[in-house]
Amino acid sequence: MDFKSNVPIYLQVIAELKAKMLTGEIRPGDKLPSSRELALTYQINPNTASRIYTELERQGLSYTRRGIGTFVTEDSSVLEYHKDLELKRIIGEFKSSLKALGCMEEDIPRLLEKYK
Amino acid sequence: MSVICKNLTKRYLFKTAVDQLNVTFEPGHIYALLGPNGTGKSTLMKMLCGLTTRTSGEILVEDHPFTYRDKANVAFAPTEFIFFDYMKISDVEKYYRDYFRDFDSNCFHRLLEELELSPSMKVKTLSSGMLAKLKIAATMSRQAKLLLLDEPLNGIDLLTRESILKTLISHADPSRAMVISSHMVEELEPIVDTAVFMKEGRIVLQTDVESLREKEGLSIVEKYRQIYGNTDMKEAI
């Protein structure tokens, strides 16, 4: 993975892991790699890797079973919630790009129809 | 093992290489020691492993002054190639085992395999990339608590660089501190957690790199330009 070097790496990896959870590439209940394996896969600092898991757990996206490992949450409402946030973010970006080109909010449905 | 330098100074006849420097290296961290050539990075490392004596100031290891006994806990990989031409890799292993009580042969063999080297290879026939990997394998096979790597990625191709970085990550551990010097800042960017910038023998900034990105929106490279770029301009004028 190529990182943007001026954005915190833990946020970039979290975004990628979240995307994998939302698209189903990683499924609810799946075991996640250990933080050392995560560090090796992404070639990042081991402290950053453990911070990623702390943060995922804080957001309710994963949970730890002591001595066994870290797992993706099986609570579908949490995943739904994050999917919702992601949709809002993507649509927000989409709208602001269109506005930058001078399109009005009410033109959007017509444009979607035209370029579908 | 935490190591504290207090007002550490090294003066040569006509040059002060390290000048009243203060810095602390804590276990569990990977430090990038950064700065243009001639800012005292190697001199600092040589003092930390006991190869060079300080002119003044202190080095404290776990709150006691650094003595020859502490050398046993410090592994140093200098920039230069350090192995004898006539040796095979298996001789390098014996050599290290003789010199260093903490040398772990099993670890060394594992690393040779990971880095695609074999004990029967002759040092004389190794490419510069292979020599760099051998140096990393030998150094990382010591169970030292302070690892000092001086320009480990110098003149190394992309794939070799990646395998060296992987080795560094897999040998990081909460009980050891790793200090890596480089003037190729980009390469170290993702694997270090703390950047230490040196200038004219002193530390000008020590910062957690994730918070540098988060609070200032700057990469290590950008910060490097900020710190060193301006003086270059002045010198040019």
Side-chain angles (χ1 to χ4, degrees):
Chain A
M1 178 174 175
D2 280 326
F3 293 108
K4 279 191 191 147
S5 57
N6 55 2
V7 177
I9 287 175
Y10 81 98
L11 293 178
Q12 299 181 59
V13 176
I14 287 174
E16 170 149 324
L17 290 175
K18 232 188 244 181
K20 283 185 175 173
M21 289 176 192
L22 297 180
T23 56
E25 196 180 329
I26 313 179
R27 308 184 63 81
D30 275 1
K31 189 173 185 295
L32 291 165
S34 70
S35 65
R36 182 165 292 267
E37 285 163 354
L38 191 75
L40 281 171
T41 316
Y42 287 97
Q43 298 203 26
I44 56 172
N45 183 278
N47 297 328
T48 308
S50 36
R51 182 172 183 189
I52 287 164
Y53 281 151
T54 315
E55 189 60 24
L56 280 179
E57 192 158 341
R58 201 184 59 77
Q59 296 187 17
L61 284 160
S62 71
Y63 63 94
T64 311
R65 284 188 4 215
R66 204 169 272 278
I68 305 177
T70 304
F71 297 84
V72 180
T73 182
E74 282 154 60
D75 183 345
S76 53
S77 67
V78 177
L79 291 170
E80 278 304 318
Y81 169 75
H82 282 278
K83 192 168 189 168
D84 224 50
L85 285 182
E86 194 59 11
L87 281 173
K88 271 188 204 149
R89 187 186 65 79
I90 293 171
I91 290 172
E93 275 177 11
F94 173 66
K95 280 187 184 168
S96 50
S97 316
L98 288 181
K99 276 183 195 150
L101 287 174
C103 304
M104 306 297 277
E105 176 109 30
E106 51 272 23
D107 296 336
I108 294 175
R110 191 180 50 79
L111 287 167
L112 283 176
E113 185 59 30
K114 185 175 171 193
Y115 294 108
K116 76 175 175 201
Chain B
M1 181 169 97
S2 77
V3 178
I4 303 167
C5 301
K6 280 189 185 164
N7 297 318
L8 188 63
T9 300
K10 176 69 188 179
R11 262 193 293 276
Y12 294 106
L13 200 50
F14 297 110
K15 187 178 163 63
T16 303
V18 171
D19 188 12
Q20 308 242 339
L21 172 142
N22 293 294
V23 71
T24 301
F25 296 116
E26 298 280 359
H29 291 281
I30 306 181
Y31 297 86
L33 187 59
L34 305 166
N37 292 323
T39 40
K41 303 187 296 283
S42 300
T43 307
L44 172 61
M45 284 191 172
K46 285 179 184 159
M47 282 192 279
L48 287 172
C49 69
L51 275 180
T52 300
T53 52
R54 60 190 186 278
T55 310
S56 60
E58 284 182 286
I59 302 175
L60 298 173
V61 177
E62 303 290 0
D63 297 329
H64 69 265
F66 183 91
T67 69
Y68 71 91
R69 272 190 228 100
D70 296 303
K71 288 190 195 179
N73 291 317
V74 183
F76 173 53
T79 324
E80 306 86 44
F81 294 123
I82 47 181
F83 304 112
F84 295 108
D85 259 356
Y86 65 84
M87 286 184 165
K88 285 186 191 162
I89 291 183
S90 57
D91 299 321
V92 170
E93 179 193 346
K94 278 186 213 139
Y95 185 77
Y96 262 67
R97 216 169 40 209
D98 274 355
Y99 266 98
F100 304 111
R101 214 178 299 162
D102 61 355
F103 186 80
D104 178 346
S105 283
N106 291 331
C107 177
F108 184 67
H109 283 279
R110 250 194 338 268
L111 280 171
L112 289 184
E113 223 163 278
E114 274 173 38
L115 297 167
E116 295 171 321
L117 296 169
S118 95
S120 62
M121 291 174 171
K122 278 192 173 157
V123 168
K124 197 165 46 178
T125 62
L126 299 181
S127 68
S128 52
M130 289 160 117
L131 282 169
K133 289 197 280 191
L134 177 58
K135 193 162 66 182
I136 288 294
T139 310
M140 302 311 266
S141 297
R142 289 187 54 197
Q143 306 304 300
K145 295 301 174 207
L146 176 63
L147 287 156
L148 306 168
L149 310 173
D150 199 1
E151 301 280 358
L153 305 171
N154 234 359
I156 306 301
D157 70 84
L158 179 78
L159 295 178
T160 308
R161 218 149 59 200
E162 279 188 358
S163 61
I164 288 179
L165 289 178
K166 272 195 177 154
T167 307
L168 297 183
I169 294 168
S170 62
H171 285 75
D173 116 21
S175 72
R176 40 169 48 168
M178 244 186 239
V179 182
I180 309 169
S181 79
S182 182
H183 46 249
M184 312 220 241
V185 194
E186 304 88 343
E187 309 174 319
L188 292 180
E189 191 95 57
I191 76 149
V192 301
D193 52 64
T194 311
V196 179
F197 295 91
M198 273 185 86
K199 194 174 186 177
E200 290 156 13
R202 295 177 183 231
I203 307 292
V204 287
L205 176 72
Q206 172 162 359
T207 178
D208 178 282
V209 295
E210 286 283 78
S211 63
L212 178 68
R213 296 180 188 114
E214 196 149 33
K215 293 189 186 129
E216 300 187 40
L218 289 178
S219 65
I220 306 181
V221 175
E222 287 162 333
K223 196 73 194 173
Y224 190 97
R225 289 217 180 87
Q226 241 182 39
I227 292 176
Y228 303 104
N230 294 334
T231 56
D232 285 348
M233 293 282 283
K234 271 182 215 148
E235 276 165 17
I237 294 163

